[in-house]
Amino acid sequence: SVPIALYAARDCRRRSFSEIVERAIEAGGDSDTIGSITGQVAGVALGSQSIPRDLMARLRDRDLLAATAEQLAKAAGAGPS
């Protein structure tokens, strides 16, 4: 699952978030895991603004997740001060 997801995410600079994840899922196999990992890698590489709004709107606990991500970024020295 991880090698396929990383292979799919290599196109982050040439394809949209949705296209990257869809292509990974279409590879078959453990598609939910592959899609999840690919989405995580693509989201980090492209930024949260690249994730379609309709997907973000359906994300459960997105405010909590966003706050947690900001805390992690700050702790890693990568987030806003």
Side-chain angles (χ1 to χ4, degrees), residues 7-18:
Y7 183 78
R10 81 192 187 295
D11 283 339
C12 283
R13 300 292 178 224
R14 295 186 308 221
R15 303 188 191 283
S16 71
F17 176 89
S18 294

Side-chain angles (χ1 to χ4, degrees), residues 7-56:
Y7 183 78
R10 81 192 187 295
D11 283 339
C12 283
R13 300 292 178 224
R14 295 186 308 221
R15 303 188 191 283
S16 71
F17 176 89
S18 294
E19 189 176 6
I20 292 165
V21 174
E22 287 170 10
R23 289 171 58 107
I25 291 169
E26 290 171 356
D30 190 6
S31 60
D32 58 335
T33 301
I34 293 168
S36 175
I37 296 168
T38 303
Q40 293 170 51
V41 173
V44 168
L46 299 172
S48 62
Q49 74 280 357
S50 70
I51 302 171
R53 290 183 186 185
D54 65 312
L55 290 180
M56 291 295 281

